[in-house]
């Protein structure tokens, strides 16, 4: 009975497929996709399609909805026009994707309602600018995988081989109807990822590796997905017009490296949106792990995070894992994600991040190689929310101090203030309102600063009546106690005043604040000298 | 006990046992796998030749993000090693990198015995003598080696 039903269903399916002109009935891969099509004139329609359809079939479906002839419709995806015989599966189109359709008004007669033989006059272009989640079935995934391996076109320029693009042609080519005239190299496929991320030497190494153990690792882009995933995820590269921010742009050439993708204005294109003269491509990344939440749902590319195709062990734990962090130093040192997090957190705890004018608060390769500072600070998001918050706060503090500012000393405030150079009286504007002395960081006073240990923070000029919140008061007592403990157990760095605790060892202190790094003597509370070394090195 | 011990430490320990560095032995403590009993032979041609120097090496929780803590247990007359056995060696301080290992640290200490550096001293009086009267300093170092490093 069940068998009969299945057969019946299979038969029906076959008929449906034939109705849609799909001669070679494939095993039922029935993942219906619903996608939204938006035209450049503001129309929005939804289309249901099947991953096994060709681009031609989408056009046929779209034609009546847009009141255009299917021959006048061009479909563009990720900066490329898709040829009619390309199968949807090859584009890894997901559910609820947004497609952009652009209607170009005919140049010669201005007639929008062109007929089937007037191709080239009035043209409707459908842009698929965004592919959402890959909800495709395993079968479809497999299909996509094969189609990716099949790609044998050079991926640097659309139509011809570019020499500076390191792509090795793959031998297999069983994609029966892959276009020969127009190359549709999609930004989402593995080949592009390889073209952008890997050097020729790396590619060679990978090809050799694959021949040995049939490695199943594939190159991917990685992004930090802030929400909803809050973790490192495989990313997708997308492109839009830098001017109108629509995906209605066809690229003049493919990106070959990270520079092309990350730097603005590297690659030009033609924007098809009516009234937009945009000619610059803007690349962005999306998270592959979650269903897209809208057109502005984008993620930051963690370009140091890569699939560990050459199987290089982590420099710290010596394990081989993937993905890994590859530093930008000459030796391209590799660290696994876990060790990278430990490295960052331990440097953060010791407050040893470096401040770089161009980049901000960052770290070099753990070996300390030259020119290896991490340029994209979103990599530090890997440390987790709490640590990242600490990282941001300290980074801001360092920036304020480097600019000659002060941090409000009121417990729990810490607002950065750039004060007048010749004025000792500082008001915490935009923060807690505390008024303090810039020199001793105590409440503002007239006359000389009192020695350390004199009175805690107190408001000056708060003459009116005020109510005391008991929890605040308790908190304040706690703050008082801890500031007392800090005063008793620490000595300030003679240069930057950072309270420093000596938990053992000799009297030679090195300021823990990496931007200060002052060498001082615990006994003299001045710069460390040979005299200190001779007289009271060990107390 | 070994639970929670990072694989890297296990691997390093195994390699130290299987292929020991010539002139150096490092054996983990029976009760603490992060604590090593180290014995370094005084390098040939140095005033420490013939001596057997005991050291302790401890891998802190943050290892390999922070350097191992190493200290001489045997008294030694050396400008870069103080009376408490603490060693002045850049790779144990600011030049530490997680790519370095127990093995490289011990090799560096062995090299430090062969080539004392009185310009970057930890034991001030020793360094002073080493600069002013090297032959006298070497004589004392030999004597200390005989007295403290050859006993048992």
């Amino acid at each position: 009975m069940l068998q009969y039903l299945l057969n019946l269903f299979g038969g029906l399916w076959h008929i449906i497929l034939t109705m849609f002109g799909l001669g070679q009935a494939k095993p039922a891969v029935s993942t219906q996709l619903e996608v939204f099509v938006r035209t450049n004139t503001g129309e929005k329609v939804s289309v249901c399609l099947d991953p096994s359809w060709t681009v031609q079939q989408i056009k046929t479906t779209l034609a009546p909805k847009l009141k255009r002839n299917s021959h006048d419709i061009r479909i563009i995806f990720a900066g490329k026009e898709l040829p009619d015989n390309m199968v949807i599966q090859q584009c890894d189109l997901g559910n609820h994707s947004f497609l952009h359709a652009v209607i170009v008004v005919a140049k010669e007669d201005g007639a929008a309602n062109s007929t089937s033989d007037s191709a080239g006059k009035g043209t409707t272009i459908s842009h698929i600018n965004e592919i959402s989640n890959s909800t495709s079935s395993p079968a479809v995934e497999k299909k996509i995988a094969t189609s990716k391996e099949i790609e044998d076109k050079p991926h640097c320029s659309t139509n011809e081989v570019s020499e500076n693009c390191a792509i090795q042609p793959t031998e297999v080519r069983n994609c029966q109807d892959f276009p020969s005239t127009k190359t549709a190299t999609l930004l989402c496929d593995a080949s592009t990822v390889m073209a952008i991320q890997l050097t020729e030497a790396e590619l060679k190494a990978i090809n050799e590796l694959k021949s040995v153990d049939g490695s199943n690792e594939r190159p991917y882009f990685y992004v930090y997905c802030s929400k909803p995933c809050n973790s490192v995820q495989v990313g997708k590269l997308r492109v839009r017009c830098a001017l109108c921010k629509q995906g209605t742009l066809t690229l003049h050439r493919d990106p070959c490296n990270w520079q092309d993708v990350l730097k603005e204005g590297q690659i030009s294109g033609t924007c098809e949106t009516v009234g937009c003269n945009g000619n610059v491509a803007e690349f962005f990344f999306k998270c592959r792990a979650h269903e897209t939440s809208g057109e502005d749902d984008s993620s930051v590319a963690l370009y140091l995070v890569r699939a560990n195709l050459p199987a290089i062990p982590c420099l710290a734990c010596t394990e081989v894992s993937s993905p890994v962090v590859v530093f930008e130093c000459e030796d391209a040192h590799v660290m696994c994600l876990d060790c990278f997090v430990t490295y960052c957190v331990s440097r953060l705890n010791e407050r040893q991040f470096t401040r770089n004018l161009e980049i901000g608060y960052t770290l070099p390769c753990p070996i300390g190689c030259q020119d290896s500072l991490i340029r994209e600070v979103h990599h530090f998001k890997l440390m987790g929310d709490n640590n990242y918050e600490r990282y941001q706060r300290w980074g801001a503090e360092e920036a304020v101090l480097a600019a000659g500012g002060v941090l409000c000393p009121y417990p729990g405030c810490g607002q950065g203030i750039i004060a007048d150079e010749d004025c000792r009286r500082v008001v915490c504007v935009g923060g807690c309102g505390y008024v303090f002395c810039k020199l001793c960081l105590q409440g503002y006073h007239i006359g000389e600063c009192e020695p350390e240990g004199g009175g805690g923070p107190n408001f000056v000029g708060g003459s009116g009546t005020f109510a005391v919140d008991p929890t605040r008061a308790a908190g304040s007592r706690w703050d008082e106690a801890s500031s007392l403990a800090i005063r008793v157990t620490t000595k300030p760095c003679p240069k930057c005043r950072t309270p420093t605790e000596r938990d053992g060892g000799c009297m030679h202190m090195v300021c823990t604040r990496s931007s200060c790094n002052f060498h001082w003597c615990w006994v003299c509370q001045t710069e460390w000298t040979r005299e200190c070394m001779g007289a009271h090195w060990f107390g | 006990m070994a639970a929670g011990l990072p694989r890297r430490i296990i691997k390093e320990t195994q390699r130290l046992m299987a292929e020991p560095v010539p002139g150096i032995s490092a054996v983990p403590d029976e009760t603490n796998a992060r604590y090593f009993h180290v014995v370094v032979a005084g390098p040939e041609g140095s005033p420490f030749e013939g001596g057997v120097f005991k050291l302790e090496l401890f891998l802190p929780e943050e290892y390999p993000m922070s350097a191992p803590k190493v200290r001489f247990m045997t008294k030694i007359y050396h400008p870069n090693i103080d009376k408490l056995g603490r060693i002045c060696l850049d790779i144990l301080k600011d030049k530490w990198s997680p790519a370095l290992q127990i093995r490289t640290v011990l090799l560096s200490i062995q090299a430090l015995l062969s080539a004392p550096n009185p310009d970057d001293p930890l034991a001030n009086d020793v360094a002073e003598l080493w600069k002013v009267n090297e032959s006298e300093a070497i004589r004392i170092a030999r004597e200390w080696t005989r007295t403290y490093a050859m006993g048992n």
Side-chain angles (χ1 to χ4, degrees):
Chain A
M1 185 61 184
L2 188 70
Q3 189 62 42
Y4 170 75
L5 276 174
L6 279 174
N7 281 342
L8 185 70
F9 180 75
L12 278 170
W13 183 240
H14 186 86
I15 292 162
I16 292 165
L17 284 179
T18 331
M19 274 167 64
F20 280 103
L22 221 133
Q24 69 284 37
K26 287 173 184 150
V29 193
S30 61
T31 327
Q32 278 279 316
L33 295 173
E34 190 192 14
V35 293
F36 302 109
V37 179
R38 183 175 296 164
T39 71
N40 63 333
T41 52
E43 283 178 82
K44 190 180 170 187
V45 290
S46 83
V47 188
C48 277
L49 46 83
D50 191 279
S52 59
W53 283 12
T54 60
V55 169
Q56 175 61 52
Q57 284 170 287
I58 302 183
K59 289 179 180 179
T60 316
T61 317
L62 268 176
K65 295 194 180 194
L66 296 174
K67 301 190 181 65
R68 297 282 184 275
N69 192 291
S70 69
H71 293 286
D72 299 339
I73 298 174
R74 285 161 58 212
I75 295 198
I76 297 181
F77 164 68
K80 291 290 151 56
E81 180 180 351
L82 301 185
D84 286 353
N85 45 13
M86 190 171 208
V87 181
I88 304 302
Q89 282 164 7
Q90 294 171 333
C91 316
D92 100 56
L93 191 66
N95 208 21
H96 295 147
S97 295
F98 284 88
L99 319 181
H100 281 246
V102 181
I103 296 164
V104 179
V105 181
K107 280 164 193 155
E108 281 145 69
D109 54 345
N113 291 332
S114 41
T115 48
S116 59
D117 51 9
S118 65
K121 283 183 180 176
T123 318
T124 303
I125 306 166
S126 296
H127 289 267
I128 304 172
N129 87 318
E130 199 273 299
I131 298 299
S132 69
N133 54 327
S134 340
T135 45
S136 23
S137 67
V140 174
E141 288 278 23
K142 209 172 163 193
K143 210 109 196 186
I144 295 165
T146 6
S147 78
K148 280 173 183 169
E149 280 152 26
I150 291 153
E151 275 286 12
D152 71 343
K153 296 282 176 187
H155 299 279
C156 219
S157 99
T158 318
N159 291 313
E160 69 241 341
V161 188
S162 168
E163 278 164 16
N164 53 15
C165 188
I167 274 295
Q168 303 263 321
T170 0
E171 67 295 353
V172 221
R173 195 180 181 203
N174 58 7
C175 180
Q176 61 282 53
D177 46 18
F178 200 80
S180 51
T181 47
K182 283 175 189 165
T183 326
T185 310
L186 303 183
L187 292 174
C188 58
D189 74 11
S191 320
T192 315
V193 180
M194 288 166 90
I196 290 174
Q197 297 190 103
L198 304 177
T199 63
E200 198 158 358
E202 282 176 304
L203 267 173
K204 212 174 150 200
I206 291 157
N207 286 342
E208 279 166 11
L209 263 175
K210 275 192 175 152
S211 59
V212 178
D213 62 355
S215 165
N216 53 4
E217 275 289 347
R218 277 194 286 142
Y220 283 118
F221 294 115
Y222 292 89
V223 295
Y224 189 84
C225 177
S226 305
K227 55 178 187 189
C229 307
N230 204 19
S231 56
V232 179
Q233 293 293 348
V234 171
K236 307 177 282 188
L237 177 62
R238 294 294 178 258
V239 64
R240 63 190 169 203
C241 167
L243 200 62
C244 69
K245 308 289 178 195
Q246 297 293 313
T248 48
L249 185 100
T250 42
L251 291 175
H252 292 165
R253 73 169 174 91
D254 279 356
C256 316
N257 51 46
W258 278 111
Q259 284 291 306
D260 284 350
V261 174
L262 299 173
K263 264 185 132 182
E264 279 171 38
Q266 292 284 305
I267 292 187
S268 58
T270 308
C271 182
E272 311 279 0
T273 300
V274 170
C276 179
N277 300 320
N279 58 2
V280 176
E282 182 179 276
F283 292 91
F284 63 105
F285 290 82
K286 300 181 83 78
C287 166
R288 194 181 281 273
H290 71 270
E291 188 163 326
T292 189
S293 60
E295 283 161 278
D296 54 354
D297 174 22
S298 67
S299 297
V300 188
L302 299 180
Y303 62 92
L304 298 184
V305 179
R306 299 189 192 174
N308 191 3
L309 295 162
I312 295 166
C314 165
L315 68 88
C317 71
T318 66
E319 300 290 317
V320 174
S321 59
S322 186
V324 289
V325 173
V326 183
F327 291 92
E328 285 185 283
C329 47
E330 212 168 288
D331 294 334
H333 288 122
V334 166
M335 211 173 198
C336 71
L337 293 190
D338 285 346
C339 286
F340 177 72
V341 171
T342 323
Y343 167 60
C344 295
V345 173
S346 80
R347 299 314 279 165
L348 186 69
N349 287 341
E350 289 166 25
R351 220 167 159 147
Q352 291 296 318
F353 273 60
T354 354
R355 218 180 67 82
N356 179 285
L357 282 179
E358 203 183 310
I359 307 164
Y361 205 40
T362 186
L363 281 180
C365 154
I367 310 279
C369 305
Q370 284 204 316
D371 302 324
S372 62
L373 290 177
I374 294 170
R375 300 189 157 270
E376 173 54 78
V377 295
H378 281 90
H379 284 99
F380 301 123
K381 282 243 180 193
L382 291 177
M383 293 191 288
D385 288 345
N386 286 344
N387 284 322
Y388 189 72
E389 195 266 324
R390 232 158 34 111
Y391 156 81
Q392 283 184 308
R393 197 173 64 236
W394 291 356
E397 285 181 16
E398 294 292 345
V400 168
L401 293 174
V406 282
L407 304 172
C408 173
Y410 198 74
C413 180
Q415 171 94 357
I417 306 152
I418 308 286
D420 281 343
E421 227 169 86
D422 43 343
C423 185
R424 208 161 51 79
R425 185 177 183 272
V426 185
V427 184
C428 180
V429 186
C432 66
Y434 184 47
V435 185
F436 62 97
C437 165
K438 196 167 82 175
L439 301 178
C440 67
L441 299 182
Q442 300 297 322
Y444 180 68
H445 53 87
I446 298 161
E448 292 289 299
C449 298
E450 275 182 37
E452 294 271 333
N458 46 24
F459 282 99
V460 172
S463 56
T465 50
F466 55 89
V468 176
D469 176 348
T471 43
R472 281 247 173 154
S476 149
R477 270 196 292 283
W478 193 86
D479 285 338
E480 271 298 306
S482 71
S483 81
L484 183 74
I486 289 171
R487 268 206 300 277
V488 170
T489 56
T490 68
K491 288 185 181 178
C493 160
K495 194 178 171 198
C496 74
R497 303 187 59 92
T498 299
T500 311
E501 184 188 13
R502 180 174 160 268
D503 64 351
C506 63
M507 299 298 165
H508 183 180
M509 310 296 290
V510 181
C511 185
T512 50
R513 190 169 286 203
S514 68
S515 55
C516 176
N517 221 23
F518 189 64
H519 288 246
W520 56 286
C521 171
W522 182 258
V523 178
C524 309
Q525 286 188 247
T526 51
E527 188 165 12
W528 181 253
T529 60
R530 282 201 79 92
E531 281 68 56
C532 302
M533 214 184 265
H536 46 253
W537 196 349
F538 297 105
Chain B
M1 212 53 197
L5 196 67
R7 285 257 299 147
R8 156 147 175 181
I9 297 182
I10 298 170
K11 274 204 223 163
E12 275 200 65
T13 309
Q14 283 170 346
R15 189 157 166 239
L16 276 170
M17 309 297 262
E19 315 159 36
V21 189
I24 299 174
S25 94
V27 183
D29 189 82
E30 281 172 13
T31 56
N32 185 352
R34 287 177 175 269
Y35 186 91
F36 289 76
H37 301 276
V38 179
V39 176
V40 175
E44 275 177 43
S46 77
F48 312 102
E49 187 175 346
V52 176
F53 298 88
K54 284 189 191 159
L55 294 89
E56 59 177 4
L57 182 146
F58 180 70
L59 304 176
E61 186 59 35
E62 299 80 30
Y63 182 83
M65 295 310 155
S66 60
K69 303 203 179 301
V70 199
R71 193 171 79 90
F72 271 82
M73 307 289 280
T74 307
K75 237 169 120 65
I76 183 167
Y77 193 81
H78 191 288
N80 307 106
I81 300 160
D82 76 1
K83 57 186 172 195
L84 296 177
R86 291 177 296 205
I87 308 160
C88 182
L89 190 60
D90 55 358
I91 59 157
L92 293 176
K93 296 271 161 56
D94 52 322
K95 291 287 184 302
W96 171 256
S97 115
L100 297 172
Q101 301 180 5
I102 302 173
R103 174 179 295 267
T104 43
V105 166
L106 295 178
L107 276 167
S108 301
I109 291 172
Q110 203 181 35
L112 191 68
L113 293 186
S114 298
N117 178 9
D119 291 325
D120 183 19
L122 195 56
N124 208 32
D125 47 338
V126 181
E128 210 56 44
L129 186 64
W130 216 283
K131 280 205 276 197
V132 177
N133 189 347
E134 195 183 347
S135 58
E136 173 65 5
I138 290 174
R139 191 193 63 76
I140 301 176
R142 281 222 182 84
E143 196 180 297
W144 281 38
T145 306
R146 262 197 308 279
T147 317
Y148 304 108
M150 290 185 186
N152 35 35

